[in-house]
């Protein structure tokens, strides 16, 4: 997609307010459990979580494809909880793209304006405008199955934008693309979203994708919200063990906190975090672990095993009976025997505290 | 079918709702039709305008409430209210109007007129809009109205008629009375033991059968060293089985006769179906598969009793084999042997079709795995193939059983002095003029068939139309053992020759002067047919065509609602459609007579009732086709359309219909063809001026007018074959174009 400054006239982004949203399937399955969430005008908010955590259900509830069991959905202060999907100014980009197989690219994109019975000329203008936005001006006559996965995804995006929705929903839009393309398309989506300033809700189970694309990320688990925050906050200050584990990987080492510093097996490192003094669980990111240089403070660890991966080496150590996983770059240690004792230090950026187990 | 009114949704300034309800138009229509068209009708014709029968002239309080409901709905739909709240109010006004109208018809038992039909339909549409806008039903007004209408249809045309059969069996002259039921069930026509062959009395003989089988099964259990309670259980079960065998052997009434026929037909059909399915998929010799394709089409294009009729030509008293070849003059085909053979010929293809699915969904890798573990072909078949096809066999068995019990045409032609449950339903109503007796037979038959049907459903798990369609997986199929293949091929060969001879004999018979006596060529029978049968044939084709369209649309709608929407009453709609599929045709025919002979639904002796019966009879055929078609389409296509603000009717028209052209045309053709060849459910409903081809054909066979019956049979078969080949070929070409776009 080239970055010509096409601006879609008439998109008026809205806020979305979920209040006490509850969705039950059958009698026992609670897919979304009393969720409160406010989505700012023009922001891209990602719902992130493992499969079955309720993120897609929330998306479908906002879309109107499902009815909430309880709670309210407000779009710009209008309660739309009981409004049929086709009356909400919301649209969705599907995981499978859901391009109509019996229509060409132009007809697919034109669908929404045709259904709204707009005059012929307006239809053509808006379709061309939308196709230009995603960089597919000359593809109108193509059959959709003659396009690559990335192009199909962009057609789906153009088809959604053409009706000028007030909220745009993405349901795992990149999961059918290969890894390289995925990076490209997600950048395209992000830049288009920022250019148009359209309120967007994005569902994914890929944490890297979530961090890369979002203004804010909502981490969900078993129908409830674990944490809401910017990508940076989620990574550096996870609110729970689940969030720490789900976004990136993490080690959890028991320790003690006194308001100024952490103590792990006698290794004191200064740390400031809003946390009561006493026993804590110290979360350490694998890439925050380094070998302590001569004379530096560090924690005693036993070397267990390692795997050389080129740019980094993956180590497994034992710290006070806890297995700790570390990725250390460079040629930190070339030869070691199982059982050797080493001294390790933790980098400030990759350390955070959680309540004790 | 109800259609949503094209209103333009006007959004309020910054809100997302409807400024006024889409219900305003149907409400207005309800008011106008109420005022301008008659609510009742004096007799059968629909379009007579009788001033006395206007709702205002009738002046009943309930009818005032109908008008009140319509006017209130109209006013409320234009009020500026929150969409959901207004919807709730409209539900109330719509329900009051519709409910009052329905109640008035039930209480006054007046045949409804065109005005009532339109007014109440419009009020249903109001209710549909209301249910949708209030958010009580997830979906737009079209979906909500469809759910409402489909549920009403299921109640009115499936559940209610069957209920009237139950009622007629136990309620006589307005009061609960079991005497007729008792009289029917103890009558020799229903159940009667007789032993014409020896001096011993039949009850004693039956008991002896029970004892012998009990002792045998008990001894076998002892021989296998089972524990004492097991032996005792086997003794009891053996005794019961023996008694059943005895009853079947010496029984003469309708119940034992039907059951004995089932006991012969169902296992035979299942085994033959299995044999053909195995051959069809794994035969080394290709032409065998072609001939099996032909076999699978035969039951569709042939009226159910044509083979029985052809058997008279081959094996009857003047049959070309029995009389011409062996110079016998025998009546042996009249009775259980003839009926059983005719049913086996008619129902084996159905069992074959069912088993073909379950054989082709076997994963060849499993058999290959067995063979790499050292199992030979026989061992593989015994330990892998057999256990995997067992559920399919059970399904085929039960289906053959249901078909055999429900069969009407074959027993009426070949039954001879034996009477059958399905034919007794008909004979007691039209021969003995005893509706209560007919109802009693109907109840027994219905209980047996539904019992078998729901056992099958339970067995296969789930009462859903959405059956698992096995994808034929890749991999080399293990050929069947050569000895088995030769044996099966031989069976198929005999079968094919016999069936071919039957079909040929009908064609030959239609050109022969007098079958069995004078075989000189003549076109006399065709001249007779042109005179007496052609108008009826054309009329039948018209009725069948008229019924096929709503059958297909309704079937598609039910399939769409059931497989794509979750709503209150979904299981009920599914159940009702299954019920209309499983109910024997004669029972449904009687039910329609009972249900639509009086009161608001005075419909008997009209083309309307025949069309209605055919619509609801053939709807399940269309449902199956549509469910299979819908399963191929990703539901997110429809959701994408909804998300682009298309209403569901638009989605159906622009997305689903183009993708399902082939399925819809196929459904239409099958609904048409099966309406053309139906006999059991419509035989009650024909009347002078509303005669149908199959019924006329059956009458000619019974009167011994075999020549012209053969002529009509030939024309029926040829025209049905032509319809299927030409139209399906056309549909496939259309869909091939769509698929090419799809890739």
């Amino acid at each position: 997609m080239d970055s010509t400054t096409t601006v879609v006239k008439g998109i008026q982004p809205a806020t979305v307010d979920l209040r006490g949203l509850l969705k039950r399937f059958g009698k026992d399955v609670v897919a979304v459990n009393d969720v409160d969430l406010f989505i700012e005008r023009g922001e891209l908010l990602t719902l992130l979580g493992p499969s079955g955590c309720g993120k897609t259900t929330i998306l479908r509830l906002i879309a109107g494809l499902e009815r909430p069991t309880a709670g309210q959905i407000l779009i710009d202060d209008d309660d739309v909880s009981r409004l049929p999907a086709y009356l909400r100014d919301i649209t969705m980009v599907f995981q499978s793209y859901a391009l109509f197989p019996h229509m060409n690219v132009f007809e697919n994109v034109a669908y929404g304006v045709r259904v709204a019975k707009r005059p012929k000329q307006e239809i053509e203008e808006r379709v061309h405008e939308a196709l230009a936005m995603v960089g597919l001006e000359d593809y109108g006559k193509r059959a959709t199955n003659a396009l690559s996965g990335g192009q199909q995804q962009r057609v789906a995006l153009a088809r959604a934008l053409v009706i000028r929705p007030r909220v745009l929903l993405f349901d795992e839009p990149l999961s059918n693309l290969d890894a390289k393309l995925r990076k490209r398309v997600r950048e395209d989506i992000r830049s288009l979203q920022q250019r148009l300033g359209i309120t967007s809700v994005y569902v994914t189970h890929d944490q890297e994708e979530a961090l890369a694309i979002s203004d804010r990320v909502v981490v969900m688990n078993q129908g409830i919200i674990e944490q809401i925050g910017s990508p940076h906050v989620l990574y550096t200050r996870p609110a729970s063990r689940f969030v720490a584990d789900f976004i990136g990987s993490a080690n959890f080492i028991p320790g003690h906190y006194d308001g100024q510093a952490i103590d792990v097996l006698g290794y004191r490192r200064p740390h400031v975090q809003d946390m009561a003094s006493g026993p804590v669980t110290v979360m350490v990111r694998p890439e925050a672990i380094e070998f302590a240089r001569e004379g530096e403070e560090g924690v005693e660890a036993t070397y267990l095993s390692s795997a050389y991966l080129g740019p980094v080496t993956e180590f497994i150590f034992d710290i006070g009976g806890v297995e700790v996983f570390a990725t250390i770059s460079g040629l930190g240690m070339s030869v070691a025997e199982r059982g050797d004792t080493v001294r390790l230090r933790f980098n400030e950026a990759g350390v955070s505290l959680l309540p004790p187990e | 079918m109800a259609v949503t009114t094209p209103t333009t949704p006007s959004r309020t300034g910054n809100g997302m709702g409807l400024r006024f309800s889409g219900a305003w138009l149907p409400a207005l229509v309800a008011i106008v039709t109420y005022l301008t068209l008659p609510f009742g009708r004096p007799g059968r014709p629909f379009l007579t305008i009788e001033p006395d029968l206007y709702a205002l002239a009738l002046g009943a309080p309930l009818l005032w409430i109908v008008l009140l409901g319509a006017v209130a709905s109209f006013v409320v739909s234009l009020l500026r209210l929150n969409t959901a709240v207004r919807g709730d109010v409209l539900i109330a006004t719509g329900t009051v109007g519709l409910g009052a109208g329905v109640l008035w018809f039930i209480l006054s038992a007046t045949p409804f007129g065109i005005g009532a039909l339109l007014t109440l339909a419009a009020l249903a549409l109001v209710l549909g809009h209301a249910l949708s806008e209030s958010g009580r039903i997830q979906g737009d007004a079209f979906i909500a109205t469809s759910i409402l209408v489909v549920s009403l249809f299921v109640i009115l045309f499936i559940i209610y008629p069957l209920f009237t059969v139950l009622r007629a069996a136990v309620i006589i002259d307005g009061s609960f009375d079991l005497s007729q039921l008792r009289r029917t069930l103890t009558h020799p026509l229903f159940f009667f033991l007789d032993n014409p062959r020896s001096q011993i009395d039949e009850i004693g003989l039956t008991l002896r059968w029970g004892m012998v089988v009990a002792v045998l099964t008990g001894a076998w259990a002892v021989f296998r060293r089972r524990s004492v309670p097991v032996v005792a259980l086997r003794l009891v079960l053996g005794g019961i089985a023996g008694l059943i065998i005895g009853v079947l052997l010496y029984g003469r009434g309708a119940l034992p006769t039907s059951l004995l026929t089932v006991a012969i037909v169902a296992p035979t059909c299942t085994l033959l179906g299995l044999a053909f399915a195995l051959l069809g998929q794994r035969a080394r010799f290709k032409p065998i598969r072609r001939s099996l394709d032909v076999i699978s089409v035969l039951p569709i294009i042939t009226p159910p009793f044509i083979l029985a009729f052809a058997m008279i030509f081959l094996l009857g008293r003047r049959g070309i084999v029995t009389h011409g070849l062996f110079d016998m003059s025998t009546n042996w085909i009249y009775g259980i042997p003839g009926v059983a053979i005719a049913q086996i010929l008619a129902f084996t293809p159905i069992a074959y079709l069912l088993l073909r699915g379950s054989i082709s969904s076997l994963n060849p890798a499993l058999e290959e795995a067995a063979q790499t573990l050292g199992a030979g072909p026989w061992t593989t078949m015994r330990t892998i193939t057999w256990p995997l096809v067992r559920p399919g066999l059970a399904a085929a068995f039960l289906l053959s059983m249901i078909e055999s019990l429900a069969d009407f045409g074959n027993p009426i032609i070949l039954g001879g002095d034996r009477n059958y449950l399905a034919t007794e339903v008909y004979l007691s109503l039209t021969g003995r003029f005893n509706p209560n007796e007919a109802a009693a037979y109907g109840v027994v038959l219905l209980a047996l068939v539904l019992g078998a049907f729901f056992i099958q459903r339970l067995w296969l798990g789930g009462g859903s139309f959405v059956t698992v369609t096995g994808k034929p997986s890749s991999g080399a199929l293990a050929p069947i053992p050569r000895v088995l293949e030769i044996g099966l091929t031989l069976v198929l060969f005999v079968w094919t020759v016999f069936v071919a001879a039957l079909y040929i004999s009908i064609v030959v018979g239609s050109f022969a002067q007098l079958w069995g006596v004078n075989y000189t060529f003549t076109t006399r029978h065709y001249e007779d047919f042109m005179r007496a049968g052609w108008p009826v044939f054309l009329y039948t084709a018209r009725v069948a065509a008229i019924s096929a369209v709503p059958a297909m649309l309704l079937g598609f709608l039910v399939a769409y609602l059931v497989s794509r929407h979750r709503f209150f009453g979904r299981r009920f709609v599914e159940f009702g459609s299954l019920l209309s599929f499983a109910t024997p045709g004669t029972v449904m025919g009687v039910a329609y007579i009972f249900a639509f002979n009086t009161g608001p639904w005075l419909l008997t002796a009209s083309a309307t009732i025949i069309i209605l019966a055919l619509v609801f009879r053939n709807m399940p055929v269309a449902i199956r086709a549509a469910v299979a078609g819908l399963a191929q389409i990703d539901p997110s296509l429809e959701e994408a359309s909804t998300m682009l603000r298309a209403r569901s009717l638009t989605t159906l028209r622009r997305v689903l219909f183009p993708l399902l052209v082939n399925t819809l045309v196929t459904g239409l053709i099958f609904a048409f063809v099966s309406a053309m060849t139906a006999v059991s459910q419509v035989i009650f409903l024909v009347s002078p001026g509303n005669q149908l081809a199959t019924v006329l054909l059956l009458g000619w066979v019974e009167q011994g007018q075999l020549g012209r019956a053969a002529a009509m049979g030939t024309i029926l078969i040829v025209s049905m074959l032509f319809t299927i080949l030409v139209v399906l070929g056309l549909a496939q070409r259309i869909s091939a174009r769509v698929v090419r776009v799809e890739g």
Side-chain angles (χ1 to χ4, degrees):
Chain A
M1 210 172 318
D2 62 340
S3 55
T4 48
T5 51
T6 27
V7 174
V8 181
K9 291 154 278 180
I11 287 189
Q12 297 170 318
T15 60
V16 180
D17 192 1
L18 310 182
R19 293 183 188 167
L21 201 60
L22 181 79
K23 177 63 183 178
R24 219 179 259 135
F25 289 109
K27 276 189 188 123
D28 313 316
V29 186
V30 182
V32 177
N33 195 353
D34 197 17
V35 161
D36 291 295
L37 182 62
F38 185 80
I39 302 161
E40 302 281 353
R41 203 179 302 281
E43 102 173 305
L44 194 157
L45 179 119
T46 298
L47 302 174
L48 174 70
S51 58
C53 72
K55 57 190 192 296
T56 298
T57 308
I58 289 192
L59 202 71
R60 293 172 62 84
L61 285 166
I62 298 174
L65 295 172
E66 306 279 354
R67 286 290 154 96
T69 311
Q72 288 173 304
I73 300 167
L74 282 79
I75 309 286
D76 265 357
D77 302 330
D78 283 328
D79 186 352
V80 300
S81 318
R82 284 161 79 188
L83 203 65
Y86 71 94
L87 291 179
R88 304 186 186 186
D89 284 345
I90 294 174
T91 195
M92 181 142 134
V93 176
F94 290 82
Q95 183 173 6
S96 60
Y97 319 141
L99 296 179
F100 304 125
H102 55 300
M103 300 179 192
N104 64 21
V105 170
F106 183 92
E107 284 304 319
N108 260 287
V109 178
Y111 188 86
V113 262
R114 263 200 212 297
V115 165
K117 302 203 168 69
R118 309 307 305 174
K120 197 162 178 274
Q121 190 172 358
E122 187 188 335
I123 292 176
E124 292 208 349
E125 277 171 22
R126 282 170 70 165
V127 171
H128 285 305
E129 185 188 62
L131 282 175
M133 260 188 287
V134 298
L136 291 175
E137 296 94 326
D138 304 326
Y139 285 71
K141 292 226 165 58
R142 300 272 188 105
T144 52
N145 63 342
L147 303 179
S148 70
Q151 288 169 330
Q152 289 187 24
Q153 183 55 269
R154 287 194 264 159
V155 174
L157 190 58
R159 187 179 67 178
L161 289 173
V162 85
I163 64 166
R164 296 169 185 169
R166 299 170 68 188
V167 180
L168 186 54
L169 309 174
F170 293 91
D171 183 13
E172 310 217 11
L174 306 182
S175 57
N176 285 342
L177 299 177
D178 63 55
K180 267 201 180 137
L181 206 53
R182 211 176 293 170
K183 256 185 197 167
R184 266 259 314 283
V185 178
R186 91 181 173 211
E187 279 156 23
D188 290 345
I189 289 179
R190 177 57 165 162
S191 70
L192 191 65
Q193 184 268 336
Q194 284 183 324
R195 213 163 66 222
L196 299 175
I198 185 167
T199 310
S200 305
V201 185
Y202 191 104
V203 159
T204 182
H205 62 265
D206 181 339
Q207 41 110 355
E208 186 188 309
E209 193 176 312
L211 297 184
I213 204 170
S214 319
D215 293 310
R216 282 193 303 157
V217 178
V218 176
V219 183
M220 293 194 62
N221 187 30
Q222 298 185 339
I224 58 163
I225 293 177
E226 289 271 344
Q227 190 175 0
I228 307 176
S230 69
H232 185 77
V233 165
L234 286 181
Y235 194 75
T236 53
R237 286 284 178 272
S240 68
R241 198 167 166 147
F242 175 83
V243 175
D245 232 1
F246 194 79
I247 298 182
S249 41
N251 297 297
F252 302 99
I253 307 165
H256 198 276
Y257 182 58
D258 61 12
Q260 278 116 39
I262 319 164
D263 184 314
V264 178
L265 296 174
Y267 164 50
R268 272 183 64 85
R269 87 170 316 296
H271 185 92
V272 180
Q273 189 173 345
D274 183 16
M275 185 69 122
S277 297
V280 289
T281 298
V282 183
M283 188 232 42
V284 188
R285 298 283 181 198
E287 70 275 12
I289 299 177
E290 293 168 353
F291 288 111
R293 274 187 288 265
E294 281 302 315
E296 253 180 344
E297 263 198 281
V299 63
E300 297 257 309
T302 313
Y303 168 82
L304 294 180
S305 67
S306 66
Y308 175 69
L309 299 182
V312 295
T313 304
E314 290 182 353
F315 290 91
I316 296 177
F317 302 107
D318 180 310
I319 299 179
V322 179
E323 264 193 22
V324 171
F325 178 73
T327 50
I328 299 178
S329 62
L331 307 163
M333 193 163 84
S334 46
V335 190
E337 290 283 318
R338 189 182 168 87
D340 285 355
T341 303
V342 294
R343 277 156 57 78
L344 302 174
R345 61 181 292 274
F346 303 149
N347 224 333
E348 167 64 35
V351 176
S352 186
L353 299 182
L354 295 169
E357 301 288 289
Chain B
M1 186 67 353
V3 171
T4 45
T5 50
T7 55
T8 33
S10 331
R11 287 181 187 77
T12 49
N14 55 0
M16 291 192 195
L18 291 168
R19 192 180 301 168
F20 51 85
S21 166
W24 72 271
L25 189 58
L28 189 63
V29 169
I31 297 168
V32 170
T33 52
Y34 181 95
L35 296 174
T36 58
L37 290 167
F39 239 55
R41 63 194 152 111
R44 291 201 160 81
F46 257 104
L47 291 170
T48 41
I49 307 285
E50 184 82 39
D52 297 347
L53 292 173
Y54 276 87
L56 293 175
L58 290 163
L62 276 172
L63 289 181
W64 283 110
I65 299 180
V66 176
L67 184 62
L68 202 68
V71 171
S73 302
F74 179 71
V75 172
V76 171
S77 63
L78 296 178
L79 290 181
R80 287 249 186 151
L81 284 174
N82 173 297
T83 308
V85 174
R86 188 175 50 212
D88 285 339
V89 178
L90 280 172
I91 290 179
T93 57
T95 310
V96 166
L98 191 61
V102 171
L103 200 62
W104 181 76
F105 277 111
I106 292 173
L107 293 178
S108 71
T110 311
F112 64 85
I114 186 80
L117 202 63
L118 292 178
T119 305
L120 296 185
L123 282 174
L125 210 54
V126 168
L127 204 51
H129 276 278
L131 284 168
S132 160
E133 285 164 17
S134 70
R136 306 273 162 202
I137 285 184
Q138 184 178 355
D140 56 20
F142 172 76
I143 296 297
T145 312
S146 299
I147 290 169
L148 211 62
V149 167
V150 164
S151 311
L152 281 176
F153 278 4
V154 167
I155 292 172
L156 199 57
F157 294 109
I158 297 169
I159 310 273
Y160 170 65
L162 289 178
F163 166 74
T164 60
V165 175
L166 292 181
R167 193 178 56 187
V170 293
I171 295 197
I172 293 154
D173 293 332
S175 61
F176 186 75
D177 183 357
L178 285 175
S179 64
Q180 177 63 52
L181 194 62
R182 203 177 308 125
R183 205 156 47 239
T184 306
L185 298 187
T186 52
H187 196 278
L189 277 175
F190 180 75
F191 185 84
F192 174 50
L193 288 179
D194 182 30
N195 171 27
R197 295 178 203 88
S198 60
Q199 292 300 311
I200 315 168
D201 97 296
E202 50 280 345
I203 296 175
L205 259 177
T206 308
L207 290 177
R208 279 177 211 191
W209 268 100
M211 261 158 56
V212 169
V213 178
V215 168
L216 282 176
T217 50
W220 177 248
V222 171
F223 175 72
R224 296 287 298 271
R225 295 172 188 280
R226 304 287 184 194
S227 63
V228 177
V230 172
V231 172
L233 185 69
R234 294 284 164 86
L235 268 173
V236 173
L237 288 178
I240 294 170
L243 286 177
I244 291 173
I245 293 173
V247 165
L248 291 182
L249 284 178
Y250 304 112
R252 306 291 295 175
L255 182 69
T257 305
S258 280
L259 290 181
L260 179 56
T261 310
V262 166
I264 298 167
V265 170
T268 315
C269 283
T270 311
L271 285 180
L272 284 173
L274 177 65
F276 294 170
L278 279 173
L279 275 179
Q281 203 201 12
R282 304 187 179 193
R284 297 172 182 86
F285 187 51
K286 290 270 166 21
I288 285 179
R289 302 188 190 175
R290 303 286 304 173
S291 70
L292 281 165
D293 285 344
V294 176
I295 284 181
S296 62
V297 182
L298 287 180
I300 301 165
I301 60 166
T302 317
F305 55 87
I306 284 279
L307 292 179
F309 161 45
M311 275 172 60
I312 300 178
F313 279 161
L314 279 193
L315 304 170
R317 203 177 331 193
R318 294 236 149 233
I320 199 156
V321 176
T322 40
H323 183 71
L325 203 59
F326 296 107
D327 197 29
M328 293 185 291
S329 186
T330 166
N331 276 337
W332 72 274
I333 61 162
Y334 294 99
I336 291 179
V339 174
I341 293 175
Q343 290 190 344
I344 289 168
L345 292 175
F347 305 143
T348 298
I350 299 172
Y352 159 69
L353 280 177
L354 217 152
L355 283 164
R356 188 174 67 175
S358 88
I359 292 273
S360 69
S361 64
L362 284 182
N363 185 354
L366 296 176
E367 295 185 349
E368 285 172 350
Q371 280 167 356
T372 60
L373 296 169
W378 280 107
T379 317
T380 307
M381 185 147 270
R382 188 168 49 79
T383 55
I384 306 294
T385 319
W386 168 252
L388 288 175
V389 296
R390 222 162 28 195
L393 286 175
F397 183 87
L398 284 161
L399 193 63
S400 320
M401 192 171 155
I402 291 166
E403 293 282 352
S404 170
L405 277 172
D407 183 27
F408 171 79
N410 292 314
I412 202 113
I413 291 179
L414 291 176
D417 62 343
R418 301 299 293 258
N419 43 343
Y420 283 76
L421 288 172
T423 51
E424 281 312 307
V425 174
Y426 173 66
L427 294 173
S428 50
L429 189 71
T430 58
R432 300 193 284 277
F433 305 109
N434 186 342
N436 304 110
E437 191 191 348
Y441 274 107
V443 169
V444 172
L445 187 55
L446 195 61
L448 284 173
V449 168
L450 292 187
F453 188 76
F454 286 103
I455 287 173
Q456 182 201 340
R457 288 272 138 191
L458 278 181
W459 204 327
L460 299 179
S464 176
F465 282 111
V466 191
T467 47
V468 182
T469 44
K471 249 190 256 164
S473 28
S474 61
L477 287 161
I480 39 182
R482 195 169 285 276
V483 183
L484 187 62
E485 182 176 344
I486 292 170
L488 295 181
T489 310
L490 214 61
V491 172
L492 178 65
F493 180 74
V494 172
W495 168 282
T496 312
V497 167
F498 188 42
V499 170
L502 287 172
Y503 278 96
I504 291 168
S505 71
I506 292 175
V507 179
V508 173
S510 71
F511 288 108
Q513 274 290 352
L514 185 58
W515 188 270
V517 179
N518 179 359
Y519 287 107
T520 48
F521 178 83
T522 177
T523 55
R524 183 168 64 94
H525 303 311
Y526 283 92
E527 285 153 23
D528 286 347
F529 166 74
M530 286 309 290
R531 193 166 28 78
W534 183 244
V536 174
F537 182 81
L538 284 184
Y539 177 78
T540 310
R542 215 178 73 211
V543 166
I546 294 172
S547 80
V549 176
M552 188 272 287
L553 286 178
L554 202 56
F556 177 79
L557 196 61
V558 169
Y560 170 69
L561 292 176
V562 164
S563 60
R564 290 293 207 259
H565 293 270
R566 273 167 295 157
F567 55 92
F568 179 75
R570 180 173 151 241
R571 306 280 307 180
F572 170 76
V573 169
E574 240 187 321
F575 171 80
S577 320
L578 282 173
L579 204 59
S580 88
F581 172 70
T583 304
T586 37
V587 177
M588 211 37 133
V590 158
Y592 270 53
I593 289 281
F594 288 161
F596 303 125
N597 207 18
T598 53
W601 294 101
L602 178 57
L603 289 171
T604 43
S606 65
T608 315
I609 193 168
I610 296 177
I611 291 170
L612 280 174
L614 290 173
V615 165
F616 287 92
R617 186 67 183 173
N618 297 324
M619 183 182 73
V621 178
I623 295 179
R624 291 188 162 221
V627 163
L630 282 169
Q632 305 291 315
I633 295 179
D634 182 358
S636 66
L637 287 181
E638 291 146 68
E639 290 178 352
S641 174
T642 306
M643 289 277 77
L644 296 165
R645 298 193 202 136
R647 289 160 185 246
S648 52
L649 199 58
T650 312
T651 304
L652 283 178
R653 202 184 67 225
R654 284 181 177 265
V655 178
L656 280 182
F657 278 150
L659 291 174
L660 287 172
V661 179
N662 192 17
T663 306
L664 293 172
V665 174
T666 311
L668 193 67
I669 291 310
F670 280 97
F672 171 73
V673 170
S674 84
M676 277 300 279
T677 56
V679 66
S680 53
Q681 60 271 28
V682 290
I683 195 161
F684 297 91
L685 306 174
V686 295
S687 50
N690 293 309
Q691 182 63 276
L692 293 178
T694 45
V695 179
L696 184 64
L697 176 51
L698 196 62
W700 284 348
V701 175
E702 284 182 312
Q703 294 160 17
Q705 311 254 32
L706 298 187
R708 65 170 81 163
M712 173 123 96
T714 307
I715 288 185
L716 259 178
I717 291 171
V718 170
S719 55
M720 290 306 99
L721 190 62
F722 177 80
T723 310
I724 289 207
L725 291 182
V726 169
V727 183
L728 282 193
L730 214 66
Q732 251 133 37
R733 193 159 309 156
I734 294 170
S735 80
R737 222 177 44 218
V738 174
V739 170
R740 219 172 301 133
V741 177
E742 262 177 84

